[in-house]
Amino acid sequence: MGKKSTLDLLPPEVKVRLDALLGDPSYTQAQVAHWMNDYLQQIAQPPVMTERIVNRYAVSMKEMLAKKRESQEVVKTWVNQMGSIPDGDFGRAIVEILRTLSFDMSLAAHKEMGKGDIEDLPGSVRMLKDLSFAVEKLEKAASENEKRDAIVRKQAREEAAVELTEGLKNEGISVEVENSIRRILLGK
């Protein structure tokens, strides 16, 4: 396992302050590093912030925020599309999204395994195993949802057939017409 970064060793409240300072465009990274070192001394921590550390963190924070915005746009697009997707297809659409994400994750894991240390291999294998298990559960849930949808549709047709024939009986339909309606709605 790799060595923890300087930022990983800091208390969470220090990271919160660092994030707030980096989010304020009126501070330069040099000012942030200086301010953070002063703060660390006040809370009896060694001053460890350099401009380079702050810069690397700021770059990774910007990349993470960009990915978050991108994923929010994807979600917003899917939500807009879901408005036009019938309820039964909503679950299938979610399953497809998750399948795509798991494929992307497995590709990323494969790339990481190729360039990682042998020490990282058990973690990567465990991650792939967990991902495979999740996909299996997802497939099973999708299959169960489709079966449940079929049952609900059948029940709705049966209820519609009963309601329609009962209503038409009051208007004097024949048994043959009633049977035809049931055959059409229920496929019997």
Side-chain angles (χ1 to χ4, degrees):
M1 180 98 92
K3 180 183 169 189
K4 284 194 172 198
S5 75
T6 302
L7 292 173
D8 290 336
L9 299 173
L10 295 175
E13 67 272 6
V14 175
K15 286 185 182 178
V16 169
R17 288 184 181 258
L18 177 61
D19 290 345
L21 288 171
L22 287 173
D24 186 344
S26 63
Y27 290 106
T28 65
Q29 290 179 357
Q31 290 171 322
V32 170
H34 180 73
W35 192 92
M36 289 302 297
N37 281 329
D38 287 347
Y39 179 72
L40 287 169
Q41 283 182 326
Q42 289 174 11
I43 63 168
Q45 294 276 331
V48 291
M49 301 301 271
T50 64
E51 283 184 59
R52 185 173 178 210
I53 291 172
V54 171
N55 181 274
R56 277 198 320 252
Y57 181 71
V59 167
S60 70
M61 191 169 115
K62 285 179 184 173
E63 288 173 357
M64 189 170 43
L65 288 173
K67 286 180 183 178
K68 182 179 178 187
R69 276 192 299 275
E70 182 180 309
S71 67
Q72 286 173 336
E73 286 300 316
V74 168
V75 167
K76 189 184 294 182
T77 301
W78 274 102
V79 166
N80 289 338
Q81 287 181 353
M82 292 304 164
S84 63
I85 294 178
D87 285 343
D89 293 337
F90 182 77
R92 285 189 281 279
I94 295 298
V95 168
E96 286 307 314
I97 292 169
L98 292 175
R99 280 183 187 144
T100 303
L101 287 173
S102 27
F103 180 73
D104 292 346
M105 286 177 62
S106 66
L107 285 177
H110 180 67
K111 285 180 186 176
E112 287 302 313
M113 283 179 13
K115 61 183 174 181
D117 293 332
I118 194 72
E119 295 169 356
D120 296 336
L121 190 58
S124 298
V125 169
R126 191 171 26 262
M127 184 179 73
L128 286 174
K129 183 185 107 191
D130 292 344
L131 184 59
S132 297
F133 182 66
V135 168
E136 178 185 354
K137 287 175 75 172
L138 185 62
E139 294 287 344
K140 182 179 178 186
S143 174
E144 288 173 4
N145 281 340
E146 287 181 26
K147 287 176 187 174
R148 217 176 355 254
D149 283 349
I151 290 169
V152 167
R153 284 192 301 272
K154 182 181 177 190
Q155 286 174 341
R157 285 192 310 269
E158 287 172 355
E159 289 172 11
V162 167
E163 197 173 305
L164 183 61
T165 56
E166 289 298 319
L168 292 174
K169 271 185 191 178
N170 294 335
E171 295 186 21
I173 66 163
S174 67
V175 174
E176 293 83 25
V177 173
E178 182 182 342
N179 289 336
S180 292
I181 291 171
R182 286 186 185 278
R183 195 172 46 256
I184 291 168
L185 288 174
L186 301 176
K188 293 181 180 180

